[in-house]
Amino acid sequence: MAQLLWLALGLLLASSVAEAATANYTFTVQSMRINQLCNNTDIIAVNGQLPGPTIDVFEGDEVVVDVINSSPYNLTIHWHGIMQLRTPWADGPSMVTQCPIQPNSSYIYRFNVTGQEGTLWWHAHSSFLRATVYGAFIIRPRKGNAYPFPMPDQEVPIVLGEWWSQNVVDVENDAVMSGQRPIQSDAYTVNGLTGQLYQCANETFTAVVQPNTTVLLRVINAALNAHLFFKVAGHNFTVVAVDACYTANYTTDTLVLAPGNSVDALIFTDATPGSYYMAVEPHDTLSPSTVATSDDDSTATAILLYNGTSATATPAMPTMPTNFDTTTANAFYFGLRGLPAAVPSPVDVSMTIELGLGQLPCDATQTSCTGKAFAAAMNGVSFRLPTQLSLLEAQFDGKPGVYTADFPDAVPPNGTAMVEGTKVRSLPYNSTVEIVLQNPVALPSENHPIHLHGFNFFVLAQGLGTFTPGNTSAYNLVDPVARNTIAVPTGGWVVIRFLANNPGMWFFHCHLDAHVPMGLGMVFAVENGTTPDSILPPPPDDLPMCRPGSKRRHVVPPPPPPPPEAKAQPPQSHETNGRPPSNKEGGDITRGGAVRSGQDKEQGRSITCLLLLGLILGTIVPLAS
Ligand code: C2O
């Protein structure tokens, strides 16, 4: 018995330094009126905030977000860059992994953040709603682990956005219905605010810093359609991570972020104490540039203010690159290195995917379209989302007729007509996949930020012109940068590689929102493996139903949380990334300690007595019997 007590005591101790907790958030999505650029605009926002609440968790935590849709629109939320290992039902892209949450319905997203650290973000993944439904998603090293760079003294999330002074769902509908590009935005924003260089700019985001300290800027490009340059007057950046993947230190005075990218960059506040603009301008990547003359080329600003200096002084302005400065952008993208990594090898599936822009005849649903509509394609297939059932449900249920598994592995011969389709590429479980992403070299061409759901990939090589098949000597297999979104250069190419270790349906698409309804995407259908933990889990009970009368129903209100004693169960296996579950950390034993609301920035990590009691009893009883 004494032994048992020691054991229980040991467990108690282990649980008091427990690493993993559950972070609970409630996102209420609803209309909100805000004044920006001298206009009152009704937007859809989360918890009355723009940007929405920051999710701030530790590596290994479980994240539970109850999304309540009180907006008039169908809605889903995507956790951009979260790998969702064995939680594909929580990924979020509308009609890929779920049907949308209908107005006055809710859905609880549950997933773990294991094996990932850094700055990511979340956003709506249905229509243009992500113009205002977005926020930062920060994953810190778990207790006892450190950053691979000196601990910063301060950190500042910098979420860059793109603003329309009108209803963005209407903006998208007008574009889709007419088959044209959406109208240009009215401004860019930093943490939701336009800054002082616009007429009627009402507010500016200001970060107050101490002299001679290290500040970590967590920069996110949440803009719908704009690549962005970001500079801080008088300061250099040391980039330490992109897309929540650590990099070798990279020093630059200019950051470039494609929509979907994030950059963790350190700045050292050793400039003359004063006031400095942080400035944001678009990088226009369309070539020839004459095609892009209608773009919004305005400048958003925020202020870096040294503590103790005058807040009313005119801030110093950085010299921005020209909007067409592809040389600066490519120098940044091509110059980054990752940390030494084990790149998966050998390659099992090898594909070349050409990104094409073109035209298709207007279809019957495009009521204000005359003649031809803008369209886009991967390997000549203009992707169409299903309308009746999500791809993941079709895969799980084995329901035919929702998609076809004939996405081509190679670029079709010149002159092949663009087709529309819901074509996926099946991937055997655990296969190593290499993809050459090729932009057209012939003009017009445009930089497309291609985002892969469910995985990070290694960027092995990139360049201008046409990739020479088999040119593996160009590959970096030592310290390639890892990412979830890669900007494929205008008139150029990129080679990426990833391990398909996560069964499910994973969207692979251009993160310029305007190009998604035009068809610039496809889906990987990763097949089940043979072990219990490599098989698609069943959908959660509250997965939104696809249409009235279908068998899966949404639940309103969401079910109450299980009673505390139900949480003190023996640990479940949460093996991830090929790493065995690490029970000595006690990580999976103690759950439910941390309860954080969207507005609550504190890390609540208390462990209830009830939970501990349950833990001790739950441990002793099986041991004693
Ligand atoms: Cu950040 Cu499919 O999206």
Side-chain angles (χ1 to χ4, degrees):
M1 191 63 197
Q3 271 178 329
L4 286 182
L5 282 176
W6 275 116
L7 211 121
L9 207 68
L11 273 169
L12 225 164
L13 216 63
S15 66
S16 69
V17 294
E19 306 294 335
T22 298
N24 291 289
Y25 293 83
T26 299
F27 279 17
T28 302
V29 186
Q30 58 195 2
S31 274
M32 157 171 113
R33 174 160 297 183
I34 81 169
N35 189 275
Q36 192 99 282
L37 304 177
C38 318
N39 271 306
N40 280 325
T41 305
D42 291 319
I43 64 168
I44 303 300
V46 175
N47 296 356
Q49 301 170 36
L50 181 74
T54 296
I55 291 190
D56 194 337
V57 296
F58 291 87
E59 189 272 315
D61 281 356
E62 182 186 37
V63 180
V64 178
V65 189
D66 187 358
V67 176
I68 299 165
N69 185 6
S70 300
S71 87
Y73 302 109
N74 281 349
L75 171 92
T76 67
I77 305 276
H78 168 54
W79 320 93
H80 179 112
I82 300 292
M83 290 186 281
Q84 301 291 4
L85 198 62
R86 283 186 283 290
T87 50
W89 303 103
D91 190 40
S94 183
M95 300 316 294
V96 178
T97 61
Q98 67 168 103
C99 287
I101 310 169
Q102 291 165 20
N104 301 312
S105 302
S106 69
Y107 178 47
I108 302 179
Y109 292 86
R110 293 173 195 274
F111 50 92
N112 288 338
V113 289
T114 304
Q116 300 188 264
E117 294 173 7
T119 304
L120 293 169
W121 58 300
W122 55 265
H123 61 78
H125 210 304
S126 45
S127 69
F128 267 22
L129 282 177
R130 84 168 167 89
T132 54
V133 178
Y134 64 84
F137 195 129
I138 296 169
I139 310 170
R140 301 165 189 285
R142 66 173 74 191
K143 213 169 155 197
N145 288 357
Y147 294 117
F149 49 85
M151 182 75 178
D153 300 294
Q154 181 184 349
E155 52 179 79
V156 184
I158 301 280
V159 190
L160 311 178
E162 187 169 11
W163 175 262
W164 278 262
S165 294
Q166 55 183 293
N167 182 307
V168 289
V169 175
D170 295 345
V171 169
E172 184 190 25
N173 284 341
D174 290 348
V176 171
M177 287 301 127
S178 63
Q180 300 299 309
R181 282 157 56 96
I183 57 159
Q184 70 171 70
S185 56
D186 296 297
Y188 301 101
T189 54
V190 180
N191 292 339
L193 303 170
T194 54
Q196 298 168 335
L197 304 188
Y198 292 93
Q199 274 192 323
C200 296
N202 54 346
E203 267 185 87
T204 301
F205 173 76
T206 301
V208 178
V209 297
Q210 308 299 326
N212 296 310
T213 57
T214 302
V215 180
L216 171 61
L217 301 181
R218 298 178 177 274
V219 191
I220 295 160
N221 184 354
L224 278 196
N225 297 316
H227 299 253
L228 296 172
F229 288 121
F230 178 78
K231 291 186 79 165
V232 181
H235 296 78
N236 277 332
F237 303 105
T238 301
V239 175
V240 292
V242 293
D243 297 4
C245 299
Y246 292 120
T247 62
N249 285 0
Y250 179 81
T251 307
T252 177
D253 65 357
T254 309
L255 302 184
V256 192
L257 298 95
N261 282 152
S262 52
V263 174
D264 287 7
L266 303 172
I267 58 171
F268 193 66
T269 56
D270 58 353
T272 309
S275 175
Y276 296 88
Y277 271 131
M278 303 188 260
V280 181
E281 277 186 6
H283 171 217
D284 296 335
T285 71
L286 248 174
S287 183
S289 56
T290 45
V291 194
T293 47
S294 66
D295 279 358
D296 164 17
D297 285 338
S298 59
T299 307
T301 52
I303 296 172
L304 188 79
L305 180 70
Y306 280 60
N307 195 15
T309 65
S310 164
T312 53
T314 304
M317 182 70 189
T319 309
M320 298 303 285
T322 69
N323 296 121
F324 301 106
D325 189 351
T326 297
T327 309
T328 295
N330 286 350
F332 177 79
Y333 287 133
F334 294 9
L336 290 170
R337 289 286 172 273
L339 300 182
V343 177
S345 178
V347 173
D348 303 303
V349 176
S350 181
M351 303 173 72
T352 299
I353 298 181
E354 187 180 59
L355 312 173
L357 292 176
Q359 291 189 313
L360 280 172
C362 303
D363 76 35
T365 60
Q366 293 176 298
T367 46
S368 56
C369 178
T370 40
K372 299 247 173 163
F374 277 118
M378 287 185 170
N379 281 352
V381 183
S382 191
F383 185 75
R384 296 292 175 270
L385 288 166
T387 54
Q388 302 296 312
L389 192 67
S390 73
L391 294 175
L392 189 57
E393 285 165 280
Q395 182 192 31
F396 182 79
D397 296 341
K399 190 162 194 300
V402 179
Y403 59 86
T404 54
D406 57 347
F407 182 84
D409 282 0
V411 183
N414 254 342
T416 309
M418 195 186 283
V419 297
E420 297 172 65
T422 308
K423 296 181 188 294
V424 310
R425 173 60 158 96
S426 293
L427 297 175
Y429 176 73
N430 252 348
S431 52
T432 294
V433 185
E434 182 172 295
I435 304 167
V436 177
L437 288 164
Q438 178 70 58
N439 242 329
V441 175
L443 302 182
S445 183
E446 178 173 9
N447 185 313
H448 298 285
I450 304 296
H451 172 51
L452 177 60
H453 286 231
F455 309 90
N456 288 331
F457 49 77
F458 289 106
V459 182
L460 300 186
Q462 49 198 324
L464 301 177
T466 304
F467 176 72
T468 313
N471 182 19
T472 53
S473 64
Y475 290 9
N476 176 359
L477 297 169
V478 178
D479 59 356
V481 81
R483 281 191 170 282
N484 63 52
T485 305
I486 180 69
V488 183
T490 302
W493 53 272
V494 174
V495 183
I496 64 170
R497 197 184 283 184
F498 68 98
L499 182 67
N501 63 347
N502 195 6
M505 285 287 191
W506 305 107
F507 208 1
F508 185 58
H509 66 92
C510 182
H511 217 277
L512 303 176
D513 252 34
H515 290 170
V516 179
M518 289 183 194
L520 198 48
M522 55 83 69
V523 167
F524 288 108
V526 179
E527 295 162 4
N528 281 333
T530 49
T531 56
D533 66 356
S534 63
I535 286 178
L536 262 184
D541 287 341
D542 65 338
L543 188 75
M545 61 180 173
C546 287
R547 60 209 142 90
S550 67
K551 70 174 168 40
R552 220 160 262 135
R553 309 194 67 81
H554 63 286
V555 178
V556 183
E565 54 271 24
K567 289 183 179 171
Q569 294 295 320
Q572 292 174 306
S573 166
H574 282 282
E575 184 190 341
T576 53
N577 288 343
R579 291 198 324 206
S582 168
N583 285 337
K584 69 172 188 294
E585 292 167 344
D588 289 313
I589 297 173
T590 333
R591 280 271 154 80
V595 178
R596 278 159 262 171
S597 77
Q599 281 98 338
D600 182 7
K601 288 183 182 111
E602 292 307 310
Q603 303 291 342
R605 265 166 201 274
S606 63
I607 298 165
T608 65
C609 294
L610 204 61
L611 190 60
L612 282 177
L613 195 67
L615 180 71
I616 293 166
L617 289 177
T619 311
I620 290 176
V621 171
L623 281 174
S625 61

